[in-house]
Amino acid sequence: MNSIIESSLVTLQKSKNLLLKLSNEELSDASVSPYYSSIGSHLRHIFDFYYCSLEFNSEGKIDLTSRKRDLTVENCCDSASDYLNKIIENLQTVEDKLGHSIIVIDDLGCGKIEIDYTYSALLAQANSHTIHHYAIIGYILDRLSITFEDCNFGYNPTTPKKEVVLVKN
Protein backbone atom coordinates (compact mmCIF):
# COMPACT_ATOMS: atom_id res chain seq x y z
CA MET A 1 0.00 0.00 0.00
CA ASN A 2 1.19 3.50 -0.81
CA SER A 3 2.61 5.38 2.19
CA ILE A 4 0.34 8.42 1.69
CA ILE A 5 -2.78 6.26 1.84
CA GLU A 6 -1.35 4.22 4.71
CA SER A 7 -0.55 7.41 6.66
CA SER A 8 -4.07 8.71 6.11
CA LEU A 9 -5.56 5.43 7.27
CA VAL A 10 -3.39 5.46 10.42
CA THR A 11 -4.39 9.07 11.09
CA LEU A 12 -8.09 8.41 10.48
CA GLN A 13 -7.97 5.38 12.79
CA LYS A 14 -7.51 7.91 15.60
CA SER A 15 -10.94 9.31 14.71
CA LYS A 16 -12.42 5.82 14.90
CA ASN A 17 -10.86 5.29 18.31
CA LEU A 18 -12.10 8.66 19.55
CA LEU A 19 -15.65 8.06 18.33
CA LEU A 20 -15.73 4.76 20.23
CA LYS A 21 -14.92 6.66 23.43
CA LEU A 22 -17.34 9.58 23.12
CA SER A 23 -21.03 9.92 23.86
CA ASN A 24 -23.22 11.95 21.51
CA GLU A 25 -23.33 14.66 24.17
CA GLU A 26 -19.54 14.86 24.38
CA LEU A 27 -19.25 14.84 20.58
CA SER A 28 -21.59 17.82 20.23
CA ASP A 29 -20.55 19.84 23.31
CA ALA A 30 -19.67 23.34 22.04
CA SER A 31 -19.07 24.97 25.42
CA VAL A 32 -15.28 25.46 25.18
CA SER A 33 -14.05 28.99 24.56
CA PRO A 34 -12.79 30.87 22.70
CA TYR A 35 -14.37 29.37 19.54
CA TYR A 36 -17.22 27.30 20.98
CA SER A 37 -16.74 24.55 18.42
CA SER A 38 -17.38 20.93 19.21
CA ILE A 39 -15.32 17.80 18.69
CA GLY A 40 -18.04 16.76 16.25
CA SER A 41 -17.72 19.94 14.20
CA HIS A 42 -13.98 19.34 13.79
CA LEU A 43 -14.46 15.68 12.90
CA ARG A 44 -17.16 16.58 10.39
CA HIS A 45 -14.82 19.17 8.86
CA ILE A 46 -12.01 16.59 8.61
CA PHE A 47 -14.30 14.00 7.06
CA ASP A 48 -15.79 16.54 4.64
CA PHE A 49 -12.31 17.47 3.44
CA TYR A 50 -11.45 13.82 2.79
CA TYR A 51 -14.83 13.04 1.22
CA CYS A 52 -14.52 16.03 -1.08
CA SER A 53 -10.96 14.99 -1.97
CA LEU A 54 -12.28 11.63 -3.10
CA GLU A 55 -14.98 13.13 -5.36
CA PHE A 56 -14.35 14.71 -8.76
CA ASN A 57 -16.97 17.17 -10.06
CA SER A 58 -18.51 17.00 -13.55
CA GLU A 59 -15.47 18.85 -14.96
CA GLY A 60 -13.04 16.33 -13.46
CA LYS A 61 -11.89 18.79 -10.79
CA ILE A 62 -11.99 18.61 -7.01
CA ASP A 63 -13.83 21.55 -5.49
CA LEU A 64 -12.85 21.94 -1.84
CA THR A 65 -15.42 24.72 -1.43
CA SER A 66 -18.26 22.31 -2.21
CA ARG A 67 -18.19 20.05 0.83
CA LYS A 68 -20.96 17.81 2.13
CA ARG A 69 -21.42 19.46 5.57
CA ASP A 70 -23.81 16.87 7.01
CA LEU A 71 -24.51 18.31 10.47
CA THR A 72 -25.77 14.98 11.86
CA VAL A 73 -22.11 13.92 11.85
CA GLU A 74 -21.43 16.60 14.47
CA ASN A 75 -24.06 15.27 16.86
CA CYS A 76 -24.18 11.50 16.45
CA CYS A 77 -21.24 9.15 16.91
CA ASP A 78 -22.93 6.49 14.77
CA SER A 79 -23.43 8.93 11.87
CA ALA A 80 -19.84 10.10 12.20
CA SER A 81 -18.57 6.50 12.24
CA ASP A 82 -20.63 5.60 9.17
CA TYR A 83 -19.29 8.62 7.29
CA LEU A 84 -15.73 7.80 8.33
CA ASN A 85 -16.10 4.18 7.23
CA LYS A 86 -17.23 5.31 3.75
CA ILE A 87 -14.19 7.57 3.49
CA ILE A 88 -11.81 4.80 4.57
CA GLU A 89 -13.38 2.41 2.09
CA ASN A 90 -13.03 4.93 -0.76
CA LEU A 91 -9.51 5.91 0.28
CA GLN A 92 -8.40 2.31 -0.16
CA THR A 93 -9.41 2.40 -3.85
CA VAL A 94 -7.49 5.46 -5.11
CA GLU A 95 -3.92 4.21 -5.21
CA ASP A 96 -3.87 4.16 -9.02
CA LYS A 97 -4.73 7.91 -9.10
CA LEU A 98 -1.94 9.14 -6.81
CA GLY A 99 0.45 10.24 -9.56
CA HIS A 100 -2.24 12.02 -11.58
CA SER A 101 -2.21 15.77 -12.06
CA ILE A 102 -5.48 17.33 -10.95
CA ILE A 103 -7.09 20.73 -10.61
CA VAL A 104 -8.29 21.67 -7.12
CA ILE A 105 -10.70 24.54 -6.60
CA ASP A 106 -10.32 26.35 -3.29
CA ASP A 107 -10.86 29.75 -1.71
CA LEU A 108 -7.74 30.97 0.06
CA GLY A 109 -9.44 34.19 1.15
CA CYS A 110 -9.80 36.13 -2.12
CA GLY A 111 -12.41 34.03 -3.91
CA LYS A 112 -12.31 30.68 -5.67
CA ILE A 113 -9.18 29.79 -7.59
CA GLU A 114 -7.97 26.73 -9.49
CA ILE A 115 -4.73 25.19 -8.28
CA ASP A 116 -2.54 22.59 -9.98
CA TYR A 117 -1.97 19.59 -7.72
CA THR A 118 -1.10 15.96 -7.85
CA TYR A 119 -3.63 13.68 -6.25
CA SER A 120 -1.01 12.49 -3.77
CA ALA A 121 -0.31 16.10 -2.72
CA LEU A 122 -4.01 16.64 -2.03
CA LEU A 123 -4.20 13.52 0.14
CA ALA A 124 -1.01 14.55 1.97
CA GLN A 125 -2.64 17.93 2.63
CA ALA A 126 -5.76 16.17 3.93
CA ASN A 127 -3.62 14.15 6.35
CA SER A 128 -1.77 17.22 7.69
CA HIS A 129 -5.05 19.12 7.90
CA THR A 130 -6.50 16.28 9.98
CA ILE A 131 -3.59 16.34 12.42
CA HIS A 132 -4.02 20.11 12.79
CA HIS A 133 -7.68 19.63 13.72
CA TYR A 134 -6.75 16.83 16.11
CA ALA A 135 -4.66 19.38 18.02
CA ILE A 136 -7.75 21.56 18.40
CA ILE A 137 -9.82 18.53 19.40
CA GLY A 138 -7.13 17.71 21.97
CA TYR A 139 -7.61 21.15 23.50
CA ILE A 140 -11.39 20.64 23.62
CA LEU A 141 -10.95 17.17 25.18
CA ASP A 142 -8.73 18.68 27.87
CA ARG A 143 -11.21 21.45 28.68
CA LEU A 144 -14.08 18.92 28.86
CA SER A 145 -11.93 16.67 31.13
CA ILE A 146 -12.18 13.77 28.67
CA THR A 147 -9.11 11.57 28.63
CA PHE A 148 -8.06 10.03 25.34
CA GLU A 149 -5.08 7.73 25.50
CA ASP A 150 -3.01 8.60 22.42
CA CYS A 151 0.24 10.41 23.15
CA ASN A 152 0.62 11.41 19.46
CA PHE A 153 -2.92 12.77 18.97
CA GLY A 154 -2.67 16.22 17.40
CA TYR A 155 1.08 16.09 16.91
CA ASN A 156 2.57 16.20 13.44
CA PRO A 157 5.17 13.42 13.12
CA THR A 158 7.84 16.06 12.41
CA THR A 159 7.13 18.00 15.62
CA PRO A 160 10.06 17.73 18.02
CA LYS A 161 9.07 15.88 21.18
CA LYS A 162 9.72 17.49 24.52
CA GLU A 163 12.41 15.64 26.38
CA VAL A 164 11.60 14.63 29.90
CA VAL A 165 14.63 15.15 32.10
CA LEU A 166 14.76 13.25 35.35
CA VAL A 167 16.79 14.92 38.07
CA LYS A 168 18.22 12.81 40.85
CA ASN A 169 18.78 14.36 44.22
Side-chain angles (χ1 to χ4, degrees), residues 12-25:
L12 290 171
Q13 181 63 46
K14 294 173 183 289
S15 293
K16 273 188 153 190
N17 296 342
L18 180 59
L19 285 166
L20 290 171
K21 178 170 183 42
L22 297 175
S23 68
N24 291 338
E25 293 74 28

Side-chain angles (χ1 to χ4, degrees), residues 27-149:
L27 180 72
S28 60
D29 187 328
S31 65
V32 176
S33 66
Y35 301 111
Y36 302 99
S37 58
S38 66
I39 295 166
S41 68
H42 287 278
L43 289 177
R44 189 226 8 105
H45 178 71
I46 291 165
F47 301 165
D48 282 350
F49 192 99
Y50 265 105
Y51 188 84
C52 190
S53 297
L54 294 163
E55 296 289 314
F56 289 85
N57 69 16
S58 61
E59 299 174 325
K61 299 174 183 178
I62 293 178
D63 186 348
L64 295 178
T65 68
S66 179
R67 293 187 216 132
K68 192 173 177 180
R69 294 180 173 95
D70 178 356
L71 299 183
T72 62
V73 172
E74 296 183 17
N75 303 307
C76 177
C77 293
D78 288 340
S79 292
S81 293
D82 290 345
Y83 191 21
L84 176 57
N85 288 333
K86 287 177 195 171
I87 292 163
I88 289 170
E89 186 178 304
N90 289 336
L91 191 57
Q92 294 172 334
T93 68
V94 298
E95 189 163 359
D96 61 324
K97 296 179 185 174
L98 291 177
H100 294 180
S101 294
I102 59 171
I103 301 292
V104 172
I105 300 167
D106 204 352
D107 185 339
L108 305 179
C110 296
K112 287 185 181 185
I113 59 171
E114 293 188 356
I115 308 164
D116 295 324
Y117 267 76
T118 61
Y119 199 57
S120 58
L122 179 60
L123 292 180
Q125 178 185 348
N127 190 61
S128 291
H129 178 251
T130 298
I131 294 167
H132 158 76
H133 278 276
Y134 283 173
I136 299 166
I137 290 169
Y139 175 82
I140 295 169
L141 289 168
D142 180 71
R143 294 298 168 262
L144 295 177
S145 299
I146 300 170
T147 56
F148 181 58
E149 300 299 322

